[in-house]
Every structure is written in C-alpha cells, then in structure tokens.
Amino acid sequence: MRIEPLLSAEAIREVVTCLGQRISQDYADKDLTILGVLTGSIVFVADLMRAIPIPHRLGLLQASSYRGATQTSGELTLEVSLLPDVRDRDILLVDDILDTGKTMSAIVSKLSAYGPKSIRSAVLLWKKERTVVEMIPDYVGFEIPDAFVVGYGLDYDDRFRHIPYIGVLDTSDADQAPS
C-alpha cells in the first residue's frame, strides 16, 4: 500500500486555526458545546478545541456505518452515552469527513430530539461530489476529490490515524508496507 500526500500537516494546521477563529466569532456570547464524532474526528476535535479560545463544553458520540476497511454497510450505529446535556445549548457537530452526508444528517436528526438551541456542523474534509443529502456543512476545512484518504485521524482498517498529514491510500498492492 502506498500513501500519496494530499494535504500537508502545515496546511491542516493553518485551516484549523482559521476555522477556530471563525467559530469563535460566530459563537461569541453563546453556550457552545462541541460534539466530536468518534473515532475519525478525534485529532481534528482536539486541535480545533485549542483554536477556539471562547468557553465551550466538549462531548463525544460514536457513529459508524463502515464494516471492514472501506465498505459501508449502509446501517448507521450511534452511541450517545458520552453525550453531555445539550438542551438549550448551541451545538457544533465536528466530524473528520463528509462523504455522502447520510451519517451527518442522521446525527443531526437524532440530536434535535435532545432540545438544543441550534446545531451547526464543521468538517475537516468534504467530498462534495459524493454528497447525496441536502446538507451543506457550516464550516469546511478542505473540499477533496473522491478518493480514500487516511491520516490525521482517518483510518484504513484502524491503521494510519497517526499520520500527521492527509494522504490518498492506494490499496492496489496490499502486501507492500506504506511509503
């Protein structure tokens, strides 16, 4: 397997800083709760939180629609046991990537039942051409092509999350070690 760099660690850092500034301005004087979607967003959430100097709460939820390395099962599983009280709070739902949009749309629908004041979304990556639901993320780091990406929290079969940049994974020769 080879990993072809797509977005450098420096480019990611710059975008996260800019997103943090925009979010801080938009949520000044609001009761902000950041909800990270596990597991892929964990690196993005940690960096984004540090880029948002205004007071905020953190919560986590787990959403999964993948089985195995790259195939989606189509069935969404949500685990909300780590969700803080969000009633009457402004929610910023943070995920690593918006692909078809089905996961994000389902999460927003479920969160609405908890009575938040508002729900907005932030994604590091958006595969705009693959989005099939009527959902536009409120904050987007990068629009990327339809390719399987890893690094900066994104994985292939629970590997490569630790890579500090985002790269396109070539699985055509799965016996080779990543470069």
Side-chain angles (χ1 to χ4, degrees):
M1 286 184 278
R2 289 183 310 113
I3 299 172
E4 186 69 34
L6 179 65
L7 300 167
S8 71
E10 182 178 322
I12 295 167
R13 203 170 22 257
E14 289 173 7
V15 161
V16 170
T17 298
C18 289
L19 287 173
Q21 291 170 350
R22 284 185 49 216
I23 291 165
S24 296
Q25 291 171 354
D26 292 350
Y27 284 94
D29 301 320
K30 294 187 179 181
D31 293 321
L32 175 61
T33 297
I34 296 171
L35 294 181
V37 181
L38 295 174
T39 304
S41 75
I42 195 72
V43 177
F44 179 40
V45 169
D47 287 348
L48 186 60
M49 283 179 53
R50 289 188 293 259
I52 300 173
I54 62 171
H56 57 273
R57 289 184 186 167
L58 172 66
L60 301 168
L61 58 94
Q62 189 162 28
S64 178
S65 59
Y66 283 89
R67 63 168 184 245
T70 61
Q71 297 297 314
T72 181
S73 66
E75 183 178 327
L76 181 68
T77 303
L78 285 176
E79 172 56 53
V80 295
S81 63
L82 298 174
L83 193 66
D85 183 10
V86 297
R87 180 167 302 288
D88 295 325
R89 294 193 56 92
D90 294 292
I91 304 300
L92 180 63
L93 186 60
V94 179
D95 206 356
D96 53 358
I97 189 165
L98 191 129
D99 193 329
T100 64
K102 291 179 181 178
T103 298
M104 182 73 76
S105 180
I107 293 170
V108 168
S109 178
K110 182 163 182 98
L111 287 176
S112 295
Y114 291 91
K117 191 180 295 181
S118 69
I119 302 174
R120 295 177 85 186
S121 60
V123 295
L124 180 63
L125 308 173
W126 185 15
K127 291 183 184 180
K128 191 174 185 178
E129 65 189 60
R130 287 192 36 91
T131 304
V132 297
V133 298
E134 289 188 33
M135 174 171 224
I136 298 173
D138 298 285
Y139 304 94
V140 177
F142 302 94
E143 287 185 25
I144 64 168
D146 183 15
F148 195 88
V149 290
V150 295
Y152 197 74
L154 292 105
D155 75 303
Y156 169 78
D157 204 18
D158 264 342
R159 297 172 24 202
F160 312 120
R161 290 186 198 280
H162 66 286
I163 297 170
Y165 62 89
I166 293 174
V168 175
L169 183 65
D170 177 1
T171 60
S172 61
D173 187 357
D175 295 331
Q176 283 186 342
S179 55

